[in-house]
Amino acid sequence: MGRATVADIKGRDFSELDKEAKENTENTNKGYNTNKNRNTTTSDSRGRKNRRRQKKTMVVHPVQRLFDACKDVFAHAGTGFVPPPDKIEQLSALLDDIKPVDVGLSPRMSFFSPQAARRAPTITYLHIHECEKFSMGIFCLPPSGVLPLHNHPGMTVFSKLLFGTMHIKSYDWVVGAPSNASAVAEPSQTAQCSEVRLAKVKVDSNLTAPCKTSILYPADGGNMHCFTAVTACAVLDVLGPPYSDAEGRHCTYYLAYPFTKFSGDEQVSIPDEEKDNYAWLQERDKPEDLVVKGALYTGPVIREN
């Protein structure tokens, strides 16, 4: 049996109230009926005016505003989609203003508590919304929690640090650089690092809330990144479009090797003082110690219509 919607429940209740009102009216005299109808008409008129005033003064919560904006900005999103500058500015401004309380979060919640040092801390994901065009969700990291280096193929991603301090290290691919380690690797390393690709560091620093929203794009802005929680922290992510295996947007994890690990100077010319800003990235399986569990989002409910 399907779950009744709020609209269905309200519709049924109002119908039953209408029937009761009619029955009560039939059991009264005409004079009383006339007076009651006049009073009811006046009351209904006042009620409608009050409802109109309430609609005019009703405050839309920040998450609803963000959702409504995402519906507009990502209406035509597909792989490789980048919103126009004014839309990027619109979403960034909305995210900049969102605070933990706006999404029902507090640093005192259990999934932000320190965990046993013998294993990687469990990360919690709060699902807010997902459709074919975009997704909204929050990653909750306890101290020392790590989201390993991973990519966002063909996606534009907005990340808002809600509270805490987080270290971010991100990379973009170096266009035109060798994409196979066999072309640059030393013979003894070719077997174990058969496929690596050169990337340049985009960000390597700590962020502390409150701070501006971070944005990455399909081809730049640090499309591949790693998050490490310096303190307990929470990140609100908006992805447009979201990951989709069916549409070729797979989440791929990487290992990062220093540029000097491979002898590629003959084909890649980088000054010595800049070599620390480059790394060789190698695809890897999802880390075995990465545990991300889902939890119920308890913030304001989004109205999708």
Side-chain angles (χ1 to χ4, degrees), residues 139-175:
F139 285 99
C140 304
L141 289 77
S144 302
V146 177
L147 277 173
L149 185 61
H150 61 282
N151 69 346
H152 307 81
M155 301 154 66
T156 298
V157 180
F158 296 75
S159 297
K160 166 63 176 177
L161 183 63
L162 296 170
F163 67 82
T165 298
M166 170 182 287
H167 183 83
I168 298 178
K169 190 163 189 178
S170 64
Y171 303 83
D172 288 315
W173 296 121
V174 175
V175 178

Side-chain angles (χ1 to χ4, degrees), residues 281-298:
L281 303 189
Q282 179 189 31
E283 290 188 16
R284 63 177 296 185
D285 293 332
K286 178 182 175 181
E288 293 183 0
D289 60 352
L290 173 61
V291 178
V292 180
K293 67 176 184 179
L296 181 65
Y297 165 70
T298 58

Side-chain angles (χ1 to χ4, degrees), residues 9-287:
I9 295 171
K10 285 186 175 179
R12 184 171 63 250
D13 288 347
F14 288 146
S15 296
E16 292 172 355
L17 288 174
D18 286 342
K19 289 179 181 179
E20 291 178 7
K22 288 179 182 178
E23 291 174 358
N24 290 335
T25 299
E26 290 173 356
N27 293 330
T28 58
N29 57 50
K30 293 182 179 179
Y32 176 78
N33 248 340
T34 302
N35 292 332
K36 183 182 179 183
N37 288 339
R38 288 174 182 167
N39 292 336
T40 302
T41 301
T42 303
S43 176
D44 288 346
S45 177
R46 290 174 180 168
R48 285 193 294 271
K49 289 180 181 178
N50 288 335
R51 285 194 291 272
R52 283 196 293 270
R53 291 194 192 100
Q54 289 173 358
K55 287 181 180 179
K56 290 180 180 178
T57 59
M58 184 173 61
V59 177
V60 179
H61 63 76
V63 179
Q64 183 67 51
R65 289 199 296 270
L66 177 63
F67 171 80
D68 293 340
C70 287
K71 283 181 64 178
D72 173 50
V73 173
F74 295 112
H76 304 290
T79 301
F81 174 78
V82 176
D86 61 323
K87 298 298 184 181
I88 290 175
E89 184 176 346
Q90 176 190 8
L91 281 186
S92 296
L94 289 170
L95 282 162
D96 286 344
D97 288 340
I98 291 181
K99 301 175 178 59
V101 68
D102 295 327
V103 291
L105 280 186
S106 165
R108 295 186 295 274
M109 289 179 166
S110 61
F111 35 73
F112 295 115
S113 300
Q115 299 177 14
R118 64 178 179 275
R119 57 183 176 82
T122 297
I123 296 168
T124 303
Y125 180 73
L126 309 178
H127 169 81
I128 300 177
H129 175 81
E130 182 169 349
C131 61
E132 292 182 355
K133 300 300 183 181
F134 68 94
S135 67
M136 298 166 55
I138 303 170
F139 285 99
C140 304
L141 289 77
S144 302
V146 177
L147 277 173
L149 185 61
H150 61 282
N151 69 346
H152 307 81
M155 301 154 66
T156 298
V157 180
F158 296 75
S159 297
K160 166 63 176 177
L161 183 63
L162 296 170
F163 67 82
T165 298
M166 170 182 287
H167 183 83
I168 298 178
K169 190 163 189 178
S170 64
Y171 303 83
D172 288 315
W173 296 121
V174 175
V175 178
S179 59
N180 193 315
S182 62
V184 295
E186 295 175 1
S188 62
Q189 296 171 324
T190 302
Q192 80 176 63
C193 302
S194 58
E195 293 183 5
V196 295
R197 186 175 173 185
L198 187 62
K200 184 176 182 179
V201 176
K202 179 67 177 181
V203 177
D204 186 8
S205 62
N206 287 351
L207 287 182
T208 299
C211 56
K212 292 292 185 180
T213 298
S214 301
I215 310 170
L216 62 84
Y217 304 95
D220 57 23
N223 186 274
M224 297 153 288
H225 64 202
C226 172
F227 289 168
T228 303
V230 178
T231 68
C233 55
V235 184
L236 170 58
D237 268 358
V238 173
L239 284 62
Y243 288 107
S244 171
D245 289 342
E247 296 183 17
R249 296 189 298 274
H250 313 282
C251 182
T252 303
Y253 294 90
Y254 298 91
L255 293 171
Y257 297 99
F259 177 78
T260 53
K261 184 174 180 65
F262 301 115
S263 57
D265 289 347
E266 307 85 17
Q267 300 182 47
V268 183
S269 179
I270 296 176
D272 288 344
E273 64 271 17
E274 295 184 16
K275 289 182 178 180
D276 287 344
N277 295 326
Y278 291 82
W280 298 100
L281 303 189
Q282 179 189 31
E283 290 188 16
R284 63 177 296 185
D285 293 332
K286 178 182 175 181

